[in-house]
Amino acid sequence: MTAGNSRELPIQLAIETTGRTGSAVLMSGDNVLLRRPMGEQIRTAAAIGPCLDEMLSWCRDEKKSIDFISVAVGPGSFTGLRIGVTAAKMLSYAMKLPLVAVDSLASVAAVVFFENPDLQTLRVGLDAYRGQVFTGQFHRGEILPPLAAIPNPWTPLPQSIEIVSAEQWSTLLASAQASQLTVAGDAKPFAKFSGTSMTRSELDAFGVGLVALRAAELSLFTDPMALVPRYLRPSAAEEKAETQSSPEMQSSAETQSSAETRGKG
């Protein structure tokens, strides 16, 4: 990639807002220059503007240039994803900076792998609500390959991510426990897991940055105008609208309406 900074590794602004809280970091390579959590005292929607403004002001004061933006694009909270993705798209477009999209589970795995150099395999689970779990199993080389030896093809958006039911999740947990597989993610999905469990980082944006750094080395950038969150499922409102507009529901409504008309007659 062509960097605007006269250094070996570029500076990026990484954003993560897929859960109840979020975070943003400025990074040069894997070195964190500035980090800020979001949503601890006020909602992420209200916190993200001042947070990003502070980061941009810091860059101006320190005479640092941002080379690209990175963002976790899901799966995760519908509202959180829209906030983070929209902010990243706006920054990328307004500042004319490249944009990297990163899977949110991959970002969780990246932090754990970075902090545990001997760990090779990990299952991540994030609460998808309604009794469901977003999950994926990762190998170190799949998420954090050495910068000098990134395989091609490689992607910051692994296709192995899935959403599973409570019953399916119980089976996956039993398998992880039997094979002594390390797990990480939200606390709720692992409440009954008695094996080795890693707590989700308060700064998952660091994981976004670690994965995005590798994507940038391969110039795996995304058109900001084309970027959409990876929801993996429709929202509750969308599901309700789809149900109400289905032929079966319409037929039922017409039958009910006819019955009511006959009754009035």
Side-chain angles (χ1 to χ4, degrees), residues 196-261:
T196 303
S197 179
M198 303 288 184
T199 303
R200 184 177 181 179
S201 171
E202 294 180 356
L203 288 167
D204 282 338
F206 177 56
V208 173
L210 290 172
V211 177
L213 175 62
R214 287 150 175 83
E217 289 295 308
L218 297 180
S219 296
L220 297 177
F221 299 116
T222 299
D223 178 356
M225 294 299 100
L227 180 62
V228 294
R230 299 178 82 193
Y231 292 126
L232 290 194
R233 71 173 185 202
S235 67
E238 290 170 332
E239 288 180 344
K240 182 178 180 180
E242 183 178 346
T243 299
Q244 290 176 339
S245 64
S246 68
E248 293 81 2
M249 289 298 295
Q250 289 178 353
S251 176
S252 176
E254 290 170 357
T255 300
Q256 182 177 352
S257 177
S258 297
E260 288 175 351
T261 300

Side-chain angles (χ1 to χ4, degrees), residues 109-121 140-141 144 198:
V111 177
V112 176
F113 282 133
F114 184 83
E115 295 177 345
N116 299 270
D118 295 329
L119 184 63
Q120 297 300 314
T121 307
R140 172 178 291 276
L144 291 185
M198 303 288 184

Side-chain angles (χ1 to χ4, degrees), residues 3 32 34 38 46 55 59 63 75 85 134 141 143 147 151 156 169 172 187 203 210 231 235 242 249:
V32 175
L34 185 66
M38 291 183 284
M55 298 219 157
C59 287
K63 295 181 172 53
V85 169
F134 297 121
I143 302 299
L147 285 175
W169 180 241
L172 289 172
L203 288 167
L210 290 172
Y231 292 126
S235 67
E242 183 178 346
M249 289 298 295

Side-chain angles (χ1 to χ4, degrees), residues 26-134:
L26 278 169
M27 299 171 58
S28 176
D30 60 11
N31 179 42
V32 175
L33 304 175
L34 185 66
R35 62 179 70 194
R36 290 291 182 268
M38 291 183 284
E40 292 185 329
Q41 303 298 327
I42 58 177
R43 296 178 67 86
T44 301
I48 192 168
C51 174
L52 297 180
D53 184 60
E54 179 186 0
M55 298 219 157
L56 296 178
S57 295
W58 184 91
C59 287
R60 288 192 294 269
D61 293 342
E62 297 295 323
K63 295 181 172 53
K64 305 244 184 226
S65 298
I66 297 173
D67 293 294
F68 67 93
I69 308 293
S70 60
V71 63
V73 295
S77 158
F78 285 91
T79 300
L81 284 174
R82 285 192 290 268
I83 292 168
V85 169
T86 299
K89 291 171 66 171
M90 290 176 62
L91 282 175
S92 173
Y93 182 78
M95 299 177 71
K96 295 180 173 56
L97 292 174
L99 178 63
V100 175
V102 175
D103 179 83
S104 54
L105 279 81
S107 70
V108 173
V111 177
V112 176
F113 282 133
F114 184 83
E115 295 177 345
N116 299 270
D118 295 329
L119 184 63
Q120 297 300 314
T121 307
L122 176 73
R123 174 164 292 281
V124 175
L126 300 182
D127 188 5
Y129 305 103
R130 306 186 220 168
Q132 297 175 311
V133 177
F134 297 121

Side-chain angles (χ1 to χ4, degrees), residues 156-188:
L157 299 166
Q159 297 303 306
S160 58
I161 310 303
E162 58 182 337
I163 182 170
V164 299
S165 66
E167 183 178 354
Q168 292 171 315
W169 180 241
S170 294
T171 300
L172 289 172
L173 279 186
S175 175
Q177 195 153 313
S179 60
Q180 298 184 326
L181 182 66
T182 298
V183 302
D186 290 332
K188 185 178 177 181

